[in-house]
Each structure stands twice: as C-alpha cells, then as structure tokens.
Amino acid sequence: MANKKLNAAKVAKKDEFYTQLSDIERELQHYWQHFSGKVVLCNCDDPYESNFFKYFALRFNQLELKKLICTCYNGSPVTGNELAFHFEGFDDDEPKKKAYKVEITEVKDENGDGAVDLSDVQYLLKNDKNVLSILKTGDFRSQECIELLKKADIVVTNPPFSLFREYVGQLMEYQKKFVIVGHQNAITYKEIFPLIMNNKIWLGYGFKGAAAHFYSPYEDTATASNHKANMIRVSGVTWFTNLEILKRNEEMDLVCRYSEEEYPSYENYNAIEVSKTADIPYDYSGIMGVPITFLDKYCPAQFQILGMCENLDLYGLKTKVYSAQECRKAYFDKFGKNGIYDLNASGVLIKQSRKEKVYQRILIRNKHTRAL
C-alpha cells in the first residue's frame, strides 16, 4: 500500500519524504574518512526538517568539515519539529516557507556545556546573519543551486524520487561525489544502469530490511507489522554512491555447483537463470541472469556486469526477438484468454511447453570460476 502511495506521490510530483536520523547514521558511519576538509552540500533539504542537516551540523567538528551548505526549494511544506523557531522574513502563520540556503563554516559550543548539540545549532541559525539567505527557487536545477553544487565536494541527501534520473545526471555532469537515497527500481532505468554497469556508481550499505520509514506531510499509509505512526513505509529503498566503501571489495562465498537441471537456459538470451543471488554457481563461466538485488553483494573484482534483460536490446545480448503473434499466444497459453505477454521485456524460460517470463534480471559473468 505504501509503495502505491509513493508512486502516486511521484505522479503528483510530491516528493517531500524526510529520512530518519537513525537511517542516516547507520549508513554514513561507513563514509567518515571521506569528509575531512570537504564541502558538503545537502541540496534537497530544509534544515528545519532535514535530518541530513542535523547530522552534519552536529558532527561538523568531528568530521572536520570545511563547510556545510543546505538548500530548501520554494514552497516546501514544513511542520517544524526540533529546530522550529521564528526568524526574520517569515510570518508565524505562513504555511509554506520560501526557498533559502544555510551555509555553515563552523559550529561552536555556544552554551558552554562541553558539547555541540541542537541548542548550539539553533543559536547559530538565529544569531549569525551570514548563515541564512534567501534563494529564488531553491530548485537543484536552477543556476543559483548549480553554482552551489560547483563549490561542493560531496552531496548527501534524499532527492525527489520523481526526478531521480535528472538529479543523478546533474551529479555526473559536474563530476560530484555523493551518497543519496533512491528506490531500487532506479537500478533498471536506462539512464542509471549503464553507470552501475561501468562502475561509475554503486549501492551503499542499504536500509535495514531493505525498507525505510519516512516522515512525510502526506497521508499515513503504512500497514506493515512494523508500522510507525505518522510515517510512510517504503520497501526497496537503498543508497546510491560513488564513494569507495569496504563492501565493494568483499567477494561472495559461492557454494552452489552448476547443473543443467537446476539452472535452465533462457530462450532469448545465451544465459542461465539464477533466481537467487545466493545460488550463483562457483563453477559456471558463462553468462548468468541474477536478480537486481545482486547489486547488494556485487564486487567488481569478482563479477563483470554485461547488461540486463530489457525490451530494447540496449546491450546487444538478445538472441531472439518475439513477434506480436508469439506474445499473444504466450498470453493465451498462460492465462487462457486473449492478451499480450511482453516476452521481450525479460528473460524467457520454457516451462511445461509454455513460455514464461522471469523477473527483471541483470546479466553477469564470474571473473574467476573454480572447479570442485
């Protein structure tokens, strides 16, 4: 249900989902070595709501940041929690805040309690006139925000899911390092997958249970057993990055042995079907179709990504293209009624004399197979 609401939000261009601080802490603990002396940009984040801003503001000194920049887009709905307070230029009853940026070059222990906490950050925002300034729109695509992007070393945020292709494209255009939240479906985008295949971006450590709870101003739709009040639960979210992390060098311990019976071949690709990442055979040197969740375990030293099963044969790996007549027949054979079974969209297996599509598959090869 939550995923349906997320998709509806994407259609309506409603992308105001706030990541939990605990999820940010869990992921970014693996990247600390990258931040020393760097300018960090959170360019989809209202500091009065964003836990990304809170994370970096509170750890500014620990991480030895050079600067923290945070921007908010015009019209962002804000509810105002820990950092809620009035400041000049905003009316108390104003339901939507204007676009603005916050730039921090130091965070001091203002209250003298021996540690930097939220009260110190709040004091900084209220009293340092050089920290806060108004933007025209705050849209990451605007020239004013592009100029901020040029100054940044690392971008860390939860960008709008509906604009994920465009957002990543901009990061790659300006050659920026980043750690961002996205849905795993983005792996299959024709704009994103080639970047993964060519080892220009990869997956981070991920969310616990491959799902996340987001704070959101939209309707609470979470229905799972681990439902959290006033939050939206979304399955399949993950982290995308191009910063080096230890997991990229951790090879899988393969324990399964190949056999024709257990690993059938596709009819339309010169590849075998491996339905679970854990079942990748250690002794097969040919092409294998694996689930997109394989990328959680992907080590480029161990495997080569060749492409994926998809409609347009973007990677030149198809051995057969099905006609409309074959797709109609396959639908009738499977469901007993008229329709179109899009066989060209994925790998196809022959089961009980019927053509059966499998789920989305990435096509890989083991770089160093071994015999028993």
Side-chain angles (χ1 to χ4, degrees):
M1 182 65 173
N3 279 330
K4 290 182 180 179
K5 289 294 184 180
L6 179 65
N7 290 334
K10 287 172 63 178
V11 172
K13 298 296 186 291
K14 294 179 179 179
D15 289 306
E16 200 81 8
F17 296 97
Y18 297 103
T19 313
Q20 291 187 92
L21 183 59
S22 59
D23 288 329
I24 296 170
E25 290 173 333
R26 188 179 298 111
E27 181 70 20
L28 292 189
Q29 66 179 317
H30 302 287
Y31 302 81
W32 274 39
Q33 71 274 19
H34 294 291
F35 290 112
S36 180
K38 298 297 193 297
V39 176
V40 172
L41 172 65
C42 304
N43 60 349
C44 298
D45 299 88
D46 186 330
Y48 292 85
E49 286 296 314
S50 169
N51 283 316
F52 287 100
F53 171 78
K54 187 187 303 182
Y55 177 88
F56 286 111
L58 292 176
R59 291 163 181 78
F60 190 94
N61 298 322
Q62 277 182 292
L63 295 173
E64 300 178 331
L65 296 183
K66 180 179 180 180
K67 181 185 288 188
L68 172 62
I69 307 173
C70 186
T71 64
C72 169
Y73 69 87
N74 194 23
S76 173
V78 175
T79 57
N81 292 321
E82 289 91 341
L83 291 176
F85 54 87
H86 175 78
F87 56 92
E88 186 177 353
F90 295 94
D91 297 329
D92 291 329
D93 58 352
E94 188 175 10
K96 294 178 183 292
K97 289 190 176 179
K98 301 174 184 177
Y100 57 91
K101 69 173 179 178
V102 170
E103 289 195 47
I104 294 176
T105 55
E106 64 176 345
V107 180
K108 299 179 180 179
D109 178 15
E110 299 290 354
N111 59 15
D113 64 357
V116 173
D117 54 28
L118 283 178
S119 63
D120 298 312
V121 176
Q122 181 170 331
Y123 181 90
L124 177 67
L125 293 177
K126 290 181 69 174
N127 293 280
D128 191 335
K129 300 299 183 182
N130 297 316
V131 167
L132 185 71
S133 60
I134 301 297
L135 297 173
K136 292 180 180 178
T137 67
D139 190 314
F140 70 87
R141 298 163 294 187
S142 66
Q143 191 58 44
E144 60 185 350
C145 286
I146 289 175
E147 293 303 315
L148 294 174
L149 178 65
K150 290 178 180 178
K151 298 176 183 178
D153 297 304
I154 305 174
V155 179
V156 187
T157 191
N158 180 357
F161 283 9
S162 66
L163 299 174
F164 194 80
R165 295 174 175 87
E166 193 171 356
Y167 187 84
V168 172
Q170 186 187 78
L171 293 177
M172 302 308 295
E173 178 184 355
Y174 290 95
Q175 301 180 355
K176 295 302 174 180
K177 296 296 185 181
F178 58 87
V179 188
I180 60 175
V181 178
H183 198 277
Q184 70 177 18
N185 287 345
I187 291 168
T188 66
Y189 297 167
K190 67 179 185 296
E191 300 88 351
I192 303 299
F193 183 77
L195 298 174
I196 296 174
M197 183 174 73
N198 294 311
N199 291 307
K200 293 184 178 180
I201 68 174
W202 44 87
L203 299 192
Y205 284 81
F207 289 82
K208 188 176 181 180
H213 287 85
F214 294 102
Y215 294 104
S216 172
Y218 313 125
E219 180 185 358
D220 175 16
T221 60
T223 58
S225 58
N226 61 344
H227 163 87
K228 295 184 179 180
N230 301 316
M231 301 186 73
I232 291 179
R233 182 184 186 275
V234 183
S235 298
V237 291
T238 189
W239 295 84
F240 293 81
T241 187
N242 58 357
L243 289 170
E244 285 297 333
I245 46 179
L246 290 177
K247 69 173 287 189
R248 278 197 21 103
N249 301 310
E250 297 173 354
E251 296 194 10
M252 287 182 60
D253 185 16
L254 305 178
V255 297
C256 295
R257 187 176 184 179
Y258 169 74
S259 70
E260 290 186 8
E261 295 77 20
E262 294 185 46
Y263 299 94
S265 296
Y266 300 128
E267 186 183 53
N268 55 339
Y269 288 93
N270 183 21
I272 62 171
E273 160 72 358
V274 181
S275 59
K276 296 179 181 178
T277 299
D279 293 341
I280 295 175
Y282 59 77
D283 57 347
Y284 188 77
S285 59
I287 302 175
M288 300 173 279
V290 295
I292 62 174
T293 51
F294 157 80
L295 292 176
D296 286 326
K297 302 291 185 180
Y298 170 53
C299 171
Q302 185 178 21
F303 295 103
Q304 178 187 9
I305 297 176
L306 303 172
M308 72 184 338
C309 299
E310 43 71 46
N311 244 315
L312 302 177
D313 197 22
L314 296 173
Y315 310 100
L317 297 172
K318 282 185 185 290
T319 57
K320 178 179 176 60
V321 176
Y322 297 96
S323 66
Q325 183 179 357
E326 288 176 299
C327 291
R328 285 193 292 268
K329 183 179 185 304
Y331 190 93
F332 187 86
D333 290 344
K334 182 174 177 63
F335 301 106
K337 56 184 179 180
N338 293 329
I340 297 291
Y341 198 35
D342 190 3
L343 298 173
N344 292 309
S346 65
V348 175
L349 300 175
I350 305 299
K351 296 182 179 180
Q352 299 177 346
S353 300
R354 289 202 311 253
K355 298 182 190 299
E356 293 277 352
K357 295 194 305 181
V358 299
Y359 289 105
Q360 188 71 59
R361 295 291 185 249
I362 295 173
L363 299 170
I364 66 168
R365 180 182 280 123
N366 190 342
K367 288 185 175 181
H368 40 81
T369 55
R370 57 187 173 86
L372 182 65

